Amino acid sequence: MIPLFEYYPALEDKLPYVKLGKLPTPVHTLEILGRKTGINSLYIKRDDLTGENYGGNKLRKLEFLLGEVLHSRAGEVITFGAAGSNHALATAFYSASLGLKSISMLVHQPNAWYVRNNLLMSLFCGAELHLYHKMPVKNLLVNPAVLFQLFRHRTKRGRFPRVIPMGGSSPRGVLGFVNAAFELKQQIMKGEIKEPDYLYVASGSMGTAAGLILGLKAAECKTKVVAVRVIDLKYVNEKAMINLISKTAIWLSSLDRSFPGTAISVRDFEIRHDFFGHQYALFSKKGMDAVRRLESDERIRLEGAYTGKAMAALLEDAQKQKINTKTVLFWNTYNSRDFSNSIAGTDYHRLPGGFHRYFEQPVQPLDY
Ligand SMILES: *Cc1c(COP(=O)(O)O)cnc(C)c1O
């Protein structure tokens, strides 16, 4: 049974869930990096390994989101993101594994190798891809392009596709990381890791950090989540974080009255705004230095849009002697499963024309 249902058995009957991955993910010590940075105890949570064939943080959200889709008997899902969205790919990958069709509505972003790979892999998974120049992320359901796709698919299928928001960060998706917090609690109790003082994680649609903040508080852990913002301030900010956490908490307490209704305040977490750089998915010098450091010291591959920026925040705090006597956990959210064999034979010309530029134009200068 998953940790969330062990702690709150009443939830099991009320929350559809489909197991997609191999949980719990291991926690490892970052021995060399810890020694070099002078951090007393430095750990990494290996959510890069959530899935056997495709990992990363989105799988945890999709266990609840796609669980609900199966329960609803809708045969299709529609989701949103940037052209190289890891979330859109994870949705395509795990929908296909469950026999569901997925539709991704994507917008432009800076070019990178991972964008090419993710697009080809989404195609390989049978996803239907659409590219748009602009898409207001709020109020998706009043967006004409979204309405058009919803009705087009209903006409073909007789049913609306199920809507999964950007990044999977609805309260239902957030449950994946409330569960992850209880998973960590169990690993602490088993002695696999000391209770962290700080947990560093990249934050884009906020669901990952929101679930961890709420779950760690409910599990009575002292761990402070440091959410490193990698997207515009209007999407990740203190007020929006509290809002998402509160919505999830109120919903959970309504399903199981033993879930603590504790209010979350800005003192319960920290958002770091100084590692974003200039644009979403535009790699930064500090971020890429952090990527290279983890690669050379620990042989773990991060990337420039999310995890490199989060690791850069951790390294700078270590350099400023802010966390050296502490127990620190880095939450790795980036898939590390190699899918290059699957996409080796996939021709980008099979993608809608708008996507071809990602294969014909150079990747951004800091990518490698
Ligand atoms: C989506 C993503 C994140 C951010 O998670 P959110 O829940 O959207 O904040 C972090 N790292 C990677 C690699 C991601 O794909």
Side-chain angles (χ1 to χ4, degrees), residues 57-58 61 86-87 167 169 202-209 303 306-307 333-335:
N57 64 335
K58 301 306 181 306
K61 302 175 182 182
N86 299 316
H87 162 70
S169 289
S203 193
S205 65
M206 295 189 306
T208 303
E303 45 66 63
Y306 293 92
T307 45
T333 45
Y334 183 52
N335 163 62

Side-chain angles (χ1 to χ4, degrees), residues 199-207 209 225-241 269-282 284 287 304-314 330:
L199 185 168
Y200 285 75
V201 66
S203 193
S205 65
M206 295 189 306
V225 173
V226 181
V228 181
R229 172 166 71 86
V230 302
I231 195 166
D232 280 8
L233 185 61
K234 69 175 175 212
Y235 300 116
V236 173
N237 57 67
E238 286 74 6
K239 196 172 155 223
M241 184 73 81
F269 62 92
E270 198 179 320
I271 298 183
R272 295 297 293 274
H273 295 287
D274 37 357
F275 290 86
F276 167 53
H278 298 290
Q279 195 187 339
Y280 168 71
L282 187 64
S284 65
Y306 293 92
T307 45
K309 290 176 179 177
M311 182 51 87
L314 187 159
F330 179 77

Side-chain angles (χ1 to χ4, degrees), residues 289-323:
D289 286 347
V291 170
R292 263 182 280 270
R293 225 159 142 200
L294 213 67
E295 195 155 18
S296 64
D297 284 350
E298 302 285 350
R299 307 252 156 263
I300 292 176
R301 185 85 206 258
L302 303 180
E303 45 66 63
Y306 293 92
T307 45
K309 290 176 179 177
M311 182 51 87
L314 187 159
L315 291 176
E316 192 169 287
D317 287 353
Q319 210 203 343
K320 290 183 174 162
Q321 312 283 323
K322 279 162 68 179
I323 51 176

